[in-house]
Amino acid sequence: MVYVLDGHNDLPWALRELSGGDPAREPDVAAGDPRLHTDLPRLRAGGVGAQFWSVYVPGELGHDEAVTAVLDQVDRVRRLLAAHPDGLGAADTADDVDAVVASGRVASLMGAEGGHCIADSLAVLRILRGLGVRYLTLTHNLNNNWADSATDTPRHGGLSEFGREVVAEMNRIGMIVDLSHVAPTTMHDALAVTTRPVLFTHSGARTVTDHPRNVPDDVLAALPGNGGVAMATFVPRFVSGEVTAWDGRLREAMAAAGADHRDLDARTRFASSWDGPPAPRATLADVVAHVEHLREAAGVDHVGIGGDFDGTAELPDELSDVSTYPRLLDALADRGWSAEDLAKLAHRNALRVLRDADA
């Protein structure tokens, strides 16, 4: 059976934003909402059997606010599952995923995006794991006090000593290390420390598109030794060189206006009124190129899918929402991927990482 286990979906944050924080105003994901990329009918149409829901926290928040925000997001996911028990089922372990998928529902896991949400506290880290959070993305767009981000000026040269303690504690408690968003130095430091397989839950290949959010080939070459998985994202500025170049011009315009390109809300506001050229379109072929390179550089046992739906304003042509995963799998089948290869990409590799963390 081939189903998709996607590494990263920002539906919880999108629900928060669209509702203004009022649960009574949240869109109905059972009926569907055109403002979203994700709802139950489209998850079924896309063959999604399991999903890591991101409990994202903006990097600009201070420690107290970040802890409150991540707990609010965990609660939002729990309420989402309670409201839709026929379509979604809570999962914490790989065995849970197997059982929920067998029941015909979407196995729902959580991953925390942004290591600042632990407020430099291993106790908070452990509490999040106890609440069912299965991975922690070590940074978001900004550095934190113990890890360098891919999109900020380096402060630590990778991981600080406390950052190494965070990784070791994550290994101990069964929380997966997510290396999307982090600097290559942080990637290398984490791979040197971790005793468990890592995930890149939503990243592309740096060789295909030279964006700092993508994974360099030397890191991809290290994944077989670690057992980890790089999960291909669909975000246009990460997968299309033309969109990356346009985004660079946007960043320069924002800097000239005193705005911070790393602030996602500020970026959206600025782009909506910017008098620069329209953004080019990314395509399904761009994503295929990244998946193919990830396989070439790391091996078929170390690739996966992490679309980042509801976490980006734009998406590639033919990959507009969660119903479109079959288009990617069909395109890869046309390029010679076997059914076994596609099953590894779609869910088996990521499920193996989860099972290794369970052990």
Side-chain angles (χ1 to χ4, degrees):
M1 175 185 178
V2 176
Y3 65 84
V4 172
L5 191 172
D6 180 271
H8 192 90
N9 184 302
D10 277 300
L11 176 64
W13 189 260
L15 293 175
R16 171 186 167 126
E17 294 293 280
L18 290 172
S19 69
D22 180 0
R25 295 174 53 199
E26 286 186 2
D28 185 353
V29 300
D33 189 304
R35 296 173 295 174
L36 296 170
H37 303 145
T38 309
D39 54 47
L40 297 187
R42 286 182 286 181
L43 286 168
R44 286 190 290 269
V48 179
Q51 178 67 64
F52 279 103
W53 302 111
S54 173
V55 289
Y56 158 72
V57 178
E60 295 76 21
L61 297 183
H63 278 174
D64 291 349
E65 292 177 300
V67 174
T68 300
V70 76
L71 293 176
D72 177 82
Q73 290 298 91
V74 168
D75 178 68
R76 193 173 305 277
V77 172
R78 288 184 165 189
R79 287 189 287 104
L80 182 68
L81 302 188
H84 305 286
D86 293 336
L88 304 172
D92 188 64
T93 68
D95 286 346
D96 291 341
V97 171
D98 289 341
V100 176
V101 170
S103 75
R105 297 173 295 161
V106 177
S108 295
L109 305 114
M110 289 185 285
E113 185 176 28
H116 58 292
C117 75
I118 70 168
D120 299 344
S121 167
L122 296 181
V124 174
L125 179 75
R126 289 188 287 268
I127 288 169
L128 289 177
R129 177 66 196 94
L131 292 173
V133 175
R134 286 313 313 260
Y135 71 67
L136 176 70
T137 316
L138 299 188
T139 73
H140 191 241
N141 288 340
L142 303 176
N143 301 332
N144 55 44
N145 289 334
W146 44 271
D148 283 340
S149 168
T151 49
D152 202 351
T153 303
R155 284 175 53 194
H156 311 291
L159 287 175
S160 72
E161 187 57 39
F162 179 72
R164 291 176 171 84
E165 291 179 26
V166 171
V167 170
E169 185 67 358
M170 290 174 69
N171 289 164
R172 189 186 73 81
I173 64 178
M175 188 179 280
I176 299 166
V177 176
D178 175 20
L179 297 179
S180 286
H181 278 287
V182 308
T185 50
T186 307
M187 298 176 192
H188 283 291
D189 281 356
L191 286 167
V193 172
T194 186
T195 59
R196 303 279 185 171
V198 303
L199 289 175
F200 290 83
T201 61
H202 56 306
S203 292
R206 187 76 177 263
T207 294
V208 179
T209 303
D210 189 15
H211 191 287
R213 270 283 282 105
N214 290 336
V215 189
D217 275 3
D218 61 338
V219 175
L220 293 173
L223 282 184
N226 166 262
V229 172
M231 307 180 82
T233 188
F234 299 169
V235 176
R237 67 183 180 277
F238 304 156
V239 302
S240 164
E242 291 184 359
V243 180
T244 298
W246 175 88
D247 192 55
R249 294 183 63 180
L250 175 68
R251 182 175 60 252
E252 292 170 359
M254 291 183 68
D260 190 346
H261 183 266
R262 299 166 302 181
D263 184 327
L264 298 184
D265 290 338
R267 185 191 304 166
T268 299
R269 289 192 301 269
F270 189 92
S272 68
S273 59
W274 184 40
D275 60 0
R281 298 290 303 174
T283 66
L284 170 62
D286 290 325
V287 176
V288 167
H290 279 264
V291 175
E292 293 261 61
H293 186 81
L294 293 174
R295 174 179 178 161
E296 179 182 348
V300 72
D301 294 321
H302 305 283
V303 292
I305 302 172
D308 205 1
F309 285 113
D310 284 304
T312 179
E314 302 295 332
L315 286 159
D317 292 340
E318 299 186 72
L319 294 172
S320 58
D321 58 54
V322 295
S323 72
T324 61
Y325 293 104
R327 294 176 184 171
L328 174 60
L329 299 181
D330 288 347
L332 293 168
D334 289 344
R335 296 176 68 89
W337 286 56
S338 68
E340 177 74 11
D341 293 342
L342 291 173
K344 289 181 177 182
L345 170 77
H347 71 269
R348 288 184 186 169
N349 291 339
L351 191 63
R352 182 194 69 242
V353 172
L354 180 63
R355 199 175 300 280
D356 285 346
D358 292 341

